[in-house]
PDB file of all heavy atoms in Angstrom:
ATOM      1  N   GLY A   1       0.820  -1.209   0.000  1.00 88.00           N
ATOM      2  CA  GLY A   1       0.000   0.000   0.000  1.00 88.00           C
ATOM      3  C   GLY A   1       0.852   1.256   0.000  1.00 88.00           C
ATOM      4  O   GLY A   1       0.518   2.248  -0.648  1.00 88.00           O
ATOM      5  N   ALA A   2       1.971   1.211   0.719  1.00 89.00           N
ATOM      6  CA  ALA A   2       2.857   2.373   0.791  1.00 89.00           C
ATOM      7  C   ALA A   2       3.631   2.581  -0.497  1.00 89.00           C
ATOM      8  O   ALA A   2       3.956   3.712  -0.863  1.00 89.00           O
ATOM      9  CB  ALA A   2       3.835   2.203   1.956  1.00 89.00           C
ATOM     10  N   LEU A   3       3.929   1.489  -1.198  1.00 89.00           N
ATOM     11  CA  LEU A   3       4.814   1.577  -2.373  1.00 89.00           C
ATOM     12  C   LEU A   3       4.075   1.550  -3.706  1.00 89.00           C
ATOM     13  O   LEU A   3       4.679   1.766  -4.744  1.00 89.00           O
ATOM     14  CB  LEU A   3       5.828   0.427  -2.343  1.00 89.00           C
ATOM     15  CG  LEU A   3       6.762   0.396  -1.131  1.00 89.00           C
ATOM     16  CD1 LEU A   3       7.609  -0.870  -1.162  1.00 89.00           C
ATOM     17  CD2 LEU A   3       7.660   1.630  -1.109  1.00 89.00           C
ATOM     18  N   LEU A   4       2.770   1.288  -3.674  1.00 84.00           N
ATOM     19  CA  LEU A   4       2.024   1.109  -4.925  1.00 84.00           C
ATOM     20  C   LEU A   4       2.100   2.332  -5.824  1.00 84.00           C
ATOM     21  O   LEU A   4       2.373   2.231  -7.013  1.00 84.00           O
ATOM     22  CB  LEU A   4       0.557   0.782  -4.599  1.00 84.00           C
ATOM     23  CG  LEU A   4      -0.342   0.424  -5.781  1.00 84.00           C
ATOM     24  CD1 LEU A   4       0.210  -0.777  -6.529  1.00 84.00           C
ATOM     25  CD2 LEU A   4      -1.756   0.151  -5.306  1.00 84.00           C
ATOM     26  N   SER A   5       1.857   3.499  -5.263  1.00 82.00           N
ATOM     27  CA  SER A   5       1.894   4.732  -6.055  1.00 82.00           C
ATOM     28  C   SER A   5       3.295   4.998  -6.587  1.00 82.00           C
ATOM     29  O   SER A   5       3.473   5.386  -7.743  1.00 82.00           O
ATOM     30  CB  SER A   5       1.417   5.914  -5.214  1.00 82.00           C
ATOM     31  OG  SER A   5       1.456   7.108  -5.959  1.00 82.00           O
ATOM     32  N   ALA A   6       4.311   4.771  -5.736  1.00 84.00           N
ATOM     33  CA  ALA A   6       5.699   5.010  -6.154  1.00 84.00           C
ATOM     34  C   ALA A   6       6.088   4.101  -7.313  1.00 84.00           C
ATOM     35  O   ALA A   6       6.815   4.512  -8.219  1.00 84.00           O
ATOM     36  CB  ALA A   6       6.641   4.791  -4.975  1.00 84.00           C
ATOM     37  N   ILE A   7       5.601   2.849  -7.304  1.00 85.00           N
ATOM     38  CA  ILE A   7       5.919   1.908  -8.383  1.00 85.00           C
ATOM     39  C   ILE A   7       5.396   2.438  -9.712  1.00 85.00           C
ATOM     40  O   ILE A   7       6.093   2.426 -10.725  1.00 85.00           O
ATOM     41  CB  ILE A   7       5.324   0.521  -8.081  1.00 85.00           C
ATOM     42  CG1 ILE A   7       6.014  -0.113  -6.875  1.00 85.00           C
ATOM     43  CG2 ILE A   7       5.467  -0.413  -9.289  1.00 85.00           C
ATOM     44  CD1 ILE A   7       5.315  -1.354  -6.348  1.00 85.00           C
ATOM     45  N   GLY A   8       4.134   2.905  -9.711  1.00 80.00           N
ATOM     46  CA  GLY A   8       3.542   3.422 -10.946  1.00 80.00           C
ATOM     47  C   GLY A   8       4.233   4.671 -11.445  1.00 80.00           C
ATOM     48  O   GLY A   8       4.528   4.801 -12.639  1.00 80.00           O
ATOM     49  N   ILE A   9       4.517   5.610 -10.539  1.00 79.00           N
ATOM     50  CA  ILE A   9       5.190   6.855 -10.938  1.00 79.00           C
ATOM     51  C   ILE A   9       6.590   6.562 -11.448  1.00 79.00           C
ATOM     52  O   ILE A   9       7.035   7.126 -12.448  1.00 79.00           O
ATOM     53  CB  ILE A   9       5.242   7.836  -9.750  1.00 79.00           C
ATOM     54  CG1 ILE A   9       3.816   8.258  -9.348  1.00 79.00           C
ATOM     55  CG2 ILE A   9       6.072   9.066 -10.098  1.00 79.00           C
ATOM     56  CD1 ILE A   9       3.751   9.067  -8.074  1.00 79.00           C
ATOM     57  N   ALA A  10       7.301   5.650 -10.766  1.00 81.00           N
ATOM     58  CA  ALA A  10       8.664   5.305 -11.187  1.00 81.00           C
ATOM     59  C   ALA A  10       8.664   4.647 -12.555  1.00 81.00           C
ATOM     60  O   ALA A  10       9.586   4.849 -13.355  1.00 81.00           O
ATOM     61  CB  ALA A  10       9.315   4.382 -10.155  1.00 81.00           C
ATOM     62  N   GLY A  11       7.617   3.850 -12.853  1.00 81.00           N
ATOM     63  CA  GLY A  11       7.525   3.226 -14.179  1.00 81.00           C
ATOM     64  C   GLY A  11       7.426   4.265 -15.268  1.00 81.00           C
ATOM     65  O   GLY A  11       8.099   4.177 -16.308  1.00 81.00           O
ATOM     66  N   MET A  12       6.601   5.284 -15.068  1.00 78.00           N
ATOM     67  CA  MET A  12       6.477   6.363 -16.049  1.00 78.00           C
ATOM     68  C   MET A  12       7.778   7.153 -16.139  1.00 78.00           C
ATOM     69  O   MET A  12       8.179   7.590 -17.219  1.00 78.00           O
ATOM     70  CB  MET A  12       5.320   7.282 -15.680  1.00 78.00           C
ATOM     71  CG  MET A  12       3.957   6.604 -15.740  1.00 78.00           C
ATOM     72  SD  MET A  12       2.570   7.755 -15.652  1.00 78.00           S
ATOM     73  CE  MET A  12       2.643   8.491 -17.283  1.00 78.00           C
ATOM     74  N   SER A  13       8.446   7.324 -15.002  1.00 79.00           N
ATOM     75  CA  SER A  13       9.713   8.055 -14.992  1.00 79.00           C
ATOM     76  C   SER A  13      10.779   7.304 -15.789  1.00 79.00           C
ATOM     77  O   SER A  13      11.545   7.906 -16.541  1.00 79.00           O
ATOM     78  CB  SER A  13      10.183   8.266 -13.547  1.00 79.00           C
ATOM     79  OG  SER A  13      11.419   8.939 -13.519  1.00 79.00           O
ATOM     80  N   ARG A  14      10.826   5.959 -15.637  1.00 82.00           N
ATOM     81  CA  ARG A  14      11.797   5.171 -16.405  1.00 82.00           C
ATOM     82  C   ARG A  14      11.510   5.282 -17.896  1.00 82.00           C
ATOM     83  O   ARG A  14      12.431   5.303 -18.712  1.00 82.00           O
ATOM     84  CB  ARG A  14      11.759   3.706 -15.961  1.00 82.00           C
ATOM     85  CG  ARG A  14      12.432   3.438 -14.643  1.00 82.00           C
ATOM     86  CD  ARG A  14      12.681   1.946 -14.424  1.00 82.00           C
ATOM     87  NE  ARG A  14      11.445   1.202 -14.323  1.00 82.00           N
ATOM     88  CZ  ARG A  14      10.762   1.041 -13.197  1.00 82.00           C
ATOM     89  NH1 ARG A  14      11.191   1.598 -12.067  1.00 82.00           N
ATOM     90  NH2 ARG A  14       9.655   0.332 -13.170  1.00 82.00           N
ATOM     91  N   LEU A  15      10.235   5.370 -18.247  1.00 83.00           N
ATOM     92  CA  LEU A  15       9.877   5.525 -19.652  1.00 83.00           C
ATOM     93  C   LEU A  15      10.331   6.887 -20.161  1.00 83.00           C
ATOM     94  O   LEU A  15      10.851   7.009 -21.285  1.00 83.00           O
ATOM     95  CB  LEU A  15       8.365   5.376 -19.824  1.00 83.00           C
ATOM     96  CG  LEU A  15       7.884   5.004 -21.224  1.00 83.00           C
ATOM     97  CD1 LEU A  15       8.367   3.618 -21.612  1.00 83.00           C
ATOM     98  CD2 LEU A  15       6.370   5.054 -21.304  1.00 83.00           C
ATOM     99  N   ASN A  16      10.175   7.923 -19.338  1.00 78.00           N
ATOM    100  CA  ASN A  16      10.647   9.258 -19.721  1.00 78.00           C
ATOM    101  C   ASN A  16      12.155   9.273 -19.908  1.00 78.00           C
ATOM    102  O   ASN A  16      12.679   9.939 -20.806  1.00 78.00           O
ATOM    103  CB  ASN A  16      10.247  10.282 -18.658  1.00 78.00           C
ATOM    104  CG  ASN A  16       8.751  10.528 -18.619  1.00 78.00           C
ATOM    105  OD1 ASN A  16       8.086  10.434 -19.642  1.00 78.00           O
ATOM    106  ND2 ASN A  16       8.213  10.820 -17.451  1.00 78.00           N
ATOM    107  N   GLU A  17      12.870   8.534 -19.048  1.00 78.00           N
ATOM    108  CA  GLU A  17      14.320   8.461 -19.167  1.00 78.00           C
ATOM    109  C   GLU A  17      14.735   7.764 -20.456  1.00 78.00           C
ATOM    110  O   GLU A  17      15.834   7.989 -20.974  1.00 78.00           O
ATOM    111  CB  GLU A  17      14.906   7.732 -17.959  1.00 78.00           C
ATOM    112  CG  GLU A  17      14.809   8.527 -16.662  1.00 78.00           C
ATOM    113  CD  GLU A  17      15.170   7.696 -15.444  1.00 78.00           C
ATOM    114  OE1 GLU A  17      15.514   6.510 -15.620  1.00 78.00           O
ATOM    115  OE2 GLU A  17      15.113   8.238 -14.325  1.00 78.00           O
ATOM    116  N   ALA A  18      13.852   6.904 -20.976  1.00 81.00           N
ATOM    117  CA  ALA A  18      14.118   6.237 -22.259  1.00 81.00           C
ATOM    118  C   ALA A  18      13.704   7.123 -23.432  1.00 81.00           C
ATOM    119  O   ALA A  18      13.685   6.677 -24.574  1.00 81.00           O
ATOM    120  CB  ALA A  18      13.370   4.905 -22.326  1.00 81.00           C
ATOM    121  N   ASN A  19      13.369   8.391 -23.151  1.00 80.00           N
ATOM    122  CA  ASN A  19      12.974   9.369 -24.164  1.00 80.00           C
ATOM    123  C   ASN A  19      11.632   9.036 -24.801  1.00 80.00           C
ATOM    124  O   ASN A  19      11.416   9.271 -25.989  1.00 80.00           O
ATOM    125  CB  ASN A  19      14.050   9.518 -25.244  1.00 80.00           C
ATOM    126  CG  ASN A  19      14.676  10.891 -25.228  1.00 80.00           C
ATOM    127  OD1 ASN A  19      14.435  11.677 -24.311  1.00 80.00           O
ATOM    128  ND2 ASN A  19      15.475  11.198 -26.231  1.00 80.00           N
ATOM    129  N   VAL A  20      10.747   8.454 -23.997  1.00 84.00           N
ATOM    130  CA  VAL A  20       9.390   8.162 -24.469  1.00 84.00           C
ATOM    131  C   VAL A  20       8.405   8.812 -23.499  1.00 84.00           C
ATOM    132  O   VAL A  20       8.521   8.642 -22.291  1.00 84.00           O
ATOM    133  CB  VAL A  20       9.121   6.641 -24.536  1.00 84.00           C
ATOM    134  CG1 VAL A  20       7.686   6.365 -24.963  1.00 84.00           C
ATOM    135  CG2 VAL A  20      10.089   5.975 -25.496  1.00 84.00           C
ATOM    136  N   LEU A  21       7.461   9.557 -24.043  1.00 79.00           N
ATOM    137  CA  LEU A  21       6.416  10.161 -23.225  1.00 79.00           C
ATOM    138  C   LEU A  21       5.172   9.293 -23.306  1.00 79.00           C
ATOM    139  O   LEU A  21       4.648   9.034 -24.386  1.00 79.00           O
ATOM    140  CB  LEU A  21       6.080  11.571 -23.710  1.00 79.00           C
ATOM    141  CG  LEU A  21       4.869  12.224 -23.020  1.00 79.00           C
ATOM    142  CD1 LEU A  21       5.184  12.511 -21.572  1.00 79.00           C
ATOM    143  CD2 LEU A  21       4.451  13.485 -23.741  1.00 79.00           C
ATOM    144  N   ALA A  22       4.705   8.815 -22.156  1.00 78.00           N
ATOM    145  CA  ALA A  22       3.483   8.019 -22.111  1.00 78.00           C
ATOM    146  C   ALA A  22       2.325   8.928 -21.729  1.00 78.00           C
ATOM    147  O   ALA A  22       2.320   9.524 -20.654  1.00 78.00           O
ATOM    148  CB  ALA A  22       3.615   6.889 -21.093  1.00 78.00           C
ATOM    149  N   VAL A  23       1.371   9.067 -22.623  1.00 71.00           N
ATOM    150  CA  VAL A  23       0.203   9.881 -22.343  1.00 71.00           C
ATOM    151  C   VAL A  23      -0.760   9.122 -21.435  1.00 71.00           C
ATOM    152  O   VAL A  23      -1.594   9.698 -20.780  1.00 71.00           O
ATOM    153  CB  VAL A  23      -0.499  10.277 -23.666  1.00 71.00           C
ATOM    154  CG1 VAL A  23      -1.713  11.151 -23.418  1.00 71.00           C
ATOM    155  CG2 VAL A  23       0.482  10.999 -24.575  1.00 71.00           C
ATOM    156  N   SER A  24      -0.595   7.791 -21.377  1.00 68.00           N
ATOM    157  CA  SER A  24      -1.488   6.952 -20.585  1.00 68.00           C
ATOM    158  C   SER A  24      -0.685   5.923 -19.806  1.00 68.00           C
ATOM    159  O   SER A  24       0.138   5.205 -20.379  1.00 68.00           O
ATOM    160  CB  SER A  24      -2.488   6.238 -21.507  1.00 68.00           C
ATOM    161  OG  SER A  24      -3.103   5.157 -20.853  1.00 68.00           O
ATOM    162  N   GLY A  25      -0.934   5.856 -18.474  1.00 67.00           N
ATOM    163  CA  GLY A  25      -0.291   4.827 -17.666  1.00 67.00           C
ATOM    164  C   GLY A  25      -0.778   3.450 -18.049  1.00 67.00           C
ATOM    165  O   GLY A  25      -0.049   2.457 -17.938  1.00 67.00           O
ATOM    166  N   ARG A  26      -2.026   3.356 -18.532  1.00 75.00           N
ATOM    167  CA  ARG A  26      -2.589   2.091 -18.980  1.00 75.00           C
ATOM    168  C   ARG A  26      -1.731   1.498 -20.105  1.00 75.00           C
ATOM    169  O   ARG A  26      -1.548   0.287 -20.189  1.00 75.00           O
ATOM    170  CB  ARG A  26      -4.014   2.315 -19.473  1.00 75.00           C
ATOM    171  CG  ARG A  26      -4.733   1.053 -19.925  1.00 75.00           C
ATOM    172  CD  ARG A  26      -5.972   1.429 -20.717  1.00 75.00           C
ATOM    173  NE  ARG A  26      -6.918   2.180 -19.917  1.00 75.00           N
ATOM    174  CZ  ARG A  26      -7.997   1.652 -19.372  1.00 75.00           C
ATOM    175  NH1 ARG A  26      -8.256   0.377 -19.523  1.00 75.00           N
ATOM    176  NH2 ARG A  26      -8.824   2.397 -18.671  1.00 75.00           N
ATOM    177  N   ALA A  27      -1.204   2.376 -20.974  1.00 79.00           N
ATOM    178  CA  ALA A  27      -0.411   1.896 -22.110  1.00 79.00           C
ATOM    179  C   ALA A  27       0.882   1.229 -21.654  1.00 79.00           C
ATOM    180  O   ALA A  27       1.342   0.272 -22.270  1.00 79.00           O
ATOM    181  CB  ALA A  27      -0.086   3.056 -23.052  1.00 79.00           C
ATOM    182  N   ILE A  28       1.486   1.725 -20.563  1.00 81.00           N
ATOM    183  CA  ILE A  28       2.724   1.119 -20.065  1.00 81.00           C
ATOM    184  C   ILE A  28       2.450  -0.306 -19.609  1.00 81.00           C
ATOM    185  O   ILE A  28       3.220  -1.222 -19.891  1.00 81.00           O
ATOM    186  CB  ILE A  28       3.314   1.946 -18.901  1.00 81.00           C
ATOM    187  CG1 ILE A  28       3.524   3.397 -19.316  1.00 81.00           C
ATOM    188  CG2 ILE A  28       4.636   1.349 -18.440  1.00 81.00           C
ATOM    189  CD1 ILE A  28       4.027   4.279 -18.204  1.00 81.00           C
ATOM    190  N   GLU A  29       1.349  -0.499 -18.888  1.00 79.00           N
ATOM    191  CA  GLU A  29       1.013  -1.845 -18.431  1.00 79.00           C
ATOM    192  C   GLU A  29       0.685  -2.759 -19.608  1.00 79.00           C
ATOM    193  O   GLU A  29       1.085  -3.921 -19.637  1.00 79.00           O
ATOM    194  CB  GLU A  29      -0.165  -1.788 -17.464  1.00 79.00           C
ATOM    195  CG  GLU A  29       0.196  -1.154 -16.141  1.00 79.00           C
ATOM    196  CD  GLU A  29      -0.910  -1.326 -15.112  1.00 79.00           C
ATOM    197  OE1 GLU A  29      -2.038  -1.665 -15.505  1.00 79.00           O
ATOM    198  OE2 GLU A  29      -0.636  -1.126 -13.924  1.00 79.00           O
ATOM    199  N   ALA A  30      -0.070  -2.218 -20.584  1.00 82.00           N
ATOM    200  CA  ALA A  30      -0.414  -3.021 -21.755  1.00 82.00           C
ATOM    201  C   ALA A  30       0.842  -3.431 -22.513  1.00 82.00           C
ATOM    202  O   ALA A  30       0.906  -4.525 -23.088  1.00 82.00           O
ATOM    203  CB  ALA A  30      -1.356  -2.238 -22.668  1.00 82.00           C
ATOM    204  N   ALA A  31       1.863  -2.563 -22.507  1.00 84.00           N
ATOM    205  CA  ALA A  31       3.115  -2.874 -23.205  1.00 84.00           C
ATOM    206  C   ALA A  31       3.766  -4.122 -22.628  1.00 84.00           C
ATOM    207  O   ALA A  31       4.476  -4.838 -23.337  1.00 84.00           O
ATOM    208  CB  ALA A  31       4.078  -1.686 -23.114  1.00 84.00           C
ATOM    209  N   GLY A  32       3.531  -4.376 -21.355  1.00 82.00           N
ATOM    210  CA  GLY A  32       4.107  -5.564 -20.746  1.00 82.00           C
ATOM    211  C   GLY A  32       3.477  -6.853 -21.231  1.00 82.00           C
ATOM    212  O   GLY A  32       4.023  -7.934 -20.997  1.00 82.00           O
TER     213      GLY A  32
END
């Protein structure tokens, strides 16, 4: 419960570091 939000935000941040902007968090999960 404490880390759930951080996991999602960090996932989007890692995508940004890869020079990709995700307009939808749903798309990151679907990519998996």
